[in-house]
Amino acid sequence: MKTNASYGAITGKILSKSGLLLEAGTYLDKEYAIHPNGRHQLPYRPKYHFIREIETLSNSFTFLRRLVFDHVGGLNEKYQSLSYALADLSHKTKKSGHHSIYHPLIELVKLSEYNVDHDSAKDIEKLSEHHPKLELIEERTTEETYTRRFLPEKKLLFIDIFLPEYDKDSGSLRAYHLLKMLKQLGYHIIFVPRKGEIFEPYYTEFLKMGIEILYGYPDRKGMEAELKKLLYEIDIAWICRPQLNKEFEWIFKINPKIKWVYDTIDLHYIRLGREAILYESKKLKKKADKFHSLELSIAKKADITITVTEEEAQILHEQGAKRTEVVSNVHEALQSHEVPAFNSRKGLLFIGSYDHPPNIDAVVWLIEEIMPLVWQKEKIPVTLLGSKPTEKVKSLASGLVKVPGFIQDVSPYFLNHKLFVAPLRYGAGMKGKIGQSLSYQLPIITSQVGAEGIGLQDGENVLIAETKEQFAEKILKTYNDESLWNHLTTNSSRVLGPYRPEIIRRELKALLSNI
């Protein structure tokens, strides 16, 4: 209640002593009779586990905001039953500009399943007289449709491999921002994690945002069965990555009216093709070619293909994509007074999720080939931040190299290190780590691959190197040149103007309104 001022009343999930549902909220039917939702069902099915607006309040448990309660005149004591007095109160609460909410994280066990509060013909008549314009839709007769009818009118299905672990990789951070923006734009979001798995604290945080999550309950087939039931209320399906678009293409056959948004994340075939050239691998080249064919075929079918950079959007457009749009990473710059000075910093920093091969290659090259050239002249320490470090990455640790693994709050690292070094030799799209470093105004030394897609200029807001000798030279120079360091710091945050949340949200709104 404290975190959402629009909530006027909240009820929760009521369980029996046996653990089955007595109610997951209640609802009115077309005859103004009140029913429990989900009685005697298993309580953790996804359909009972998302926040939604309701029109009736539980007589077993309701939490009321006192100021709203007093403002609307409290309970009408002319009703014979508490249930109908609460239904009347819920409607008055809505008229006051507040909402009555079913919140699944509130769970209570009721010691008796018997309810002394019975329907009254007089109460039904009184409620229908007081509130004749209640949104009772006669053709909707199932329990599920009654309970879902107060959801936002616009509904968007969002599919990715897993719920965004936004503090672990840049792709997840971008998805997290997109989901928040889509909620702000008035969409009810149904999120499908492809594997069906959910992890904390991410699951609870997205649930509190009001996102409906179709997790694998009791298994992945159960998840797909629940999804099929909801497809006819979906307006837009936003599906990330080419593999998932191919896997879930069946949803457009069931409901061809759904608008198809294909989010590339990056062009996989470009990333794989660069890796194939670097390692002279025919196997990787063959894989890149397969992805090229797959990505292009999806881009020709989807209503909109999303890339994170203008360059990749242009590539797909030239290859015959139906329609391409850019939705970039989202970044916010820190204020200049928050940036510690040159002399108070020490060491080099890298960050990346190590289940992404380009990051492993970058840090191995950095520690095994670039830094030995640096260390011949100066013993500069290096920190390799990031989730899921492999055994190879862990083996790079030494007296001069720290591998802390996943750190939830990385701010102290960006504010205390002197340089960010990202020697990426292959990859595609916009690199989140580069934008993250720019947001902290930490000077960056990276490759052309690392700098692409974000509008950087060598010598102005970034330093570009390609060979190990160039990296070593620029590390040593910038590490000891306060004037150059200040120049890069001053210019870095200016790059992020187009990537501010309010800019991306406005672009996203325009994009989806024209689909």
Side-chain angles (χ1 to χ4, degrees), residues 85-144:
L86 286 168
D88 174 78
L89 177 66
S90 177
H91 186 69
K92 292 188 294 187
T93 297
K94 186 171 184 176
K95 288 183 69 176
S96 76
H98 293 80
H99 301 291
S100 298
I101 296 295
Y102 165 75
H103 202 304
L105 294 183
I106 299 170
E107 292 185 0
L108 294 98
V109 176
K110 192 172 183 182
L111 298 181
S112 170
E113 294 194 18
Y114 298 100
N115 209 333
V116 297
D117 202 20
H118 300 290
D119 287 354
S120 158
K122 290 184 178 179
D123 281 350
I124 290 175
E125 182 180 358
K126 189 181 280 88
L127 187 65
S128 64
E129 289 174 357
H130 286 174
H131 311 301
K133 294 183 180 180
L134 283 176
E135 299 174 46
L136 299 170
I137 305 174
E138 293 190 15
E139 63 267 24
R140 293 185 171 185
T141 57
T142 68
E143 178 179 81
E144 193 158 337

Side-chain angles (χ1 to χ4, degrees), residues 11-73:
T11 187
K13 191 181 289 183
I14 313 298
L15 306 177
S16 67
K17 288 188 291 185
S18 67
L20 294 178
L21 272 175
L22 292 178
E23 61 181 60
T26 56
Y27 64 92
L28 283 171
D29 68 14
K30 61 183 180 181
E31 305 297 336
Y32 282 76
I34 297 175
H35 301 273
N37 180 35
R39 172 155 291 199
H40 303 315
Q41 297 298 310
L42 295 170
Y44 298 114
R45 291 181 65 180
K47 64 191 289 186
Y48 304 125
H49 217 63
F50 66 97
I51 296 170
R52 66 178 190 274
E53 186 173 1
I54 52 178
E55 62 187 329
T56 56
L57 296 165
S58 173
N59 63 18
S60 296
F61 170 80
T62 294
F63 191 89
L64 302 163
R65 190 182 295 277
R66 179 59 182 264
L67 290 176
V68 176
F69 181 78
D70 290 342
H71 174 72
V72 301

Side-chain angles (χ1 to χ4, degrees), residues 79 86 119 128 182 214 302 386 473:
Y79 285 95
L86 286 168
D119 287 354
S128 64
L182 290 166
L214 290 190
E473 177 189 352

Side-chain angles (χ1 to χ4, degrees), residues 276-335:
I277 292 171
L278 177 65
Y279 290 106
E280 299 179 347
S281 170
K282 292 181 180 179
K283 183 178 180 180
L284 284 171
K285 176 64 168 63
K286 187 176 180 180
K287 186 177 180 180
D289 290 342
K290 285 184 177 180
F291 263 97
H292 190 185
S293 176
L294 173 61
E295 290 175 290
L296 190 56
S297 68
I298 296 168
K300 290 180 177 179
K301 296 176 187 176
D303 293 286
I304 297 178
T305 296
I306 301 292
T307 65
V308 294
T309 70
E310 294 285 354
E311 292 86 345
E312 290 189 348
Q314 185 61 30
I315 288 170
L316 287 179
H317 174 73
E318 291 173 355
Q319 294 178 6
K322 188 173 182 180
R323 175 185 169 190
T324 58
E325 297 286 351
V326 177
V327 179
S328 66
N329 291 340
V330 182
H331 295 288
E332 290 184 284
L334 298 180
Q335 298 301 314

Side-chain angles (χ1 to χ4, degrees), residues 209-477:
M209 286 169 58
I211 293 175
E212 180 179 359
I213 302 167
L214 290 190
Y215 47 86
Y217 187 85
D219 50 29
R220 192 168 179 272
K221 286 186 177 179
M223 178 185 77
E224 291 182 357
E226 293 294 325
L227 175 58
K228 287 177 182 177
K229 294 176 185 177
L230 299 176
L231 286 181
Y232 285 99
E233 64 179 72
I234 301 296
D235 301 297
I236 298 170
W238 184 303
I239 310 179
C240 302
R241 309 171 202 278
Q243 310 97 307
L244 297 188
N245 278 267
K246 180 180 180 181
E247 181 176 346
F248 284 90
E249 188 174 353
W250 57 267
I251 70 176
F252 304 103
K253 295 177 182 177
I254 293 177
N255 183 3
K257 294 182 180 179
I258 296 175
K259 297 299 183 181
W260 185 352
V261 177
Y262 161 39
D263 189 341
T264 62
I265 307 299
D266 66 16
L267 288 183
H268 292 37
Y269 85 89
I270 291 179
R271 169 165 44 83
L272 290 167
R274 287 170 172 173
E275 185 181 6
I277 292 171
L278 177 65
Y279 290 106
E280 299 179 347
S281 170
K282 292 181 180 179
K283 183 178 180 180
L284 284 171
K285 176 64 168 63
K286 187 176 180 180
K287 186 177 180 180
D289 290 342
K290 285 184 177 180
F291 263 97
H292 190 185
S293 176
L294 173 61
E295 290 175 290
L296 190 56
S297 68
I298 296 168
K300 290 180 177 179
K301 296 176 187 176
D303 293 286
I304 297 178
T305 296
I306 301 292
T307 65
V308 294
T309 70
E310 294 285 354
E311 292 86 345
E312 290 189 348
Q314 185 61 30
I315 288 170
L316 287 179
H317 174 73
E318 291 173 355
Q319 294 178 6
K322 188 173 182 180
R323 175 185 169 190
T324 58
E325 297 286 351
V326 177
V327 179
S328 66
N329 291 340
V330 182
H331 295 288
E332 290 184 284
L334 298 180
Q335 298 301 314
S336 58
H337 67 270
E338 297 176 330
V339 180
F342 176 82
N343 290 327
S344 64
R345 296 166 175 264
K346 182 180 179 181
L348 309 182
L349 181 66
F350 176 89
I351 192 170
S353 177
Y354 297 107
D355 58 358
H356 191 48
N359 290 331
I360 299 173
D361 176 81
V363 297
V364 170
W365 191 42
L366 174 63
I367 302 305
E368 292 187 349
E369 298 192 43
I370 296 171
M371 291 311 297
L373 300 178
V374 174
W375 290 330
Q376 288 175 8
K377 298 182 178 179
E378 188 171 355
K379 301 301 183 184
I380 300 174
V382 181
T383 301
L384 306 177
L385 279 182
S387 61
K388 304 174 185 176
T390 63
E391 290 304 315
K392 177 60 178 176
V393 174
K394 291 177 184 177
S395 73
L396 300 174
S398 68
L400 286 170
V401 180
K402 293 181 180 179
V403 185
F406 170 68
I407 301 291
Q408 189 164 36
D409 182 8
V410 297
S411 298
Y413 289 87
F414 278 92
L415 295 173
N416 294 325
H417 283 73
K418 191 172 284 188
L419 295 176
F420 187 83
V421 180
L424 295 165
R425 296 196 288 180
Y426 65 95
M430 185 184 295
K431 315 306 181 295
K433 59 179 62 62
I434 302 300
Q436 187 175 18
S437 191
L438 289 168
S439 70
Y440 284 98
Q441 295 177 250
L442 179 61
I444 300 164
I445 303 173
T446 190
S447 60
Q448 289 285 359
V449 169
E452 67 186 355
I454 200 168
L456 296 172
Q457 291 184 304
D458 185 24
E460 286 300 309
N461 38 44
V462 70
L463 295 178
I464 303 294
E466 298 298 337
T467 67
K468 60 184 180 182
E469 292 82 7
Q470 289 172 350
F471 269 100
E473 177 189 352
K474 294 192 176 186
I475 288 170
L476 286 164
K477 177 173 175 54

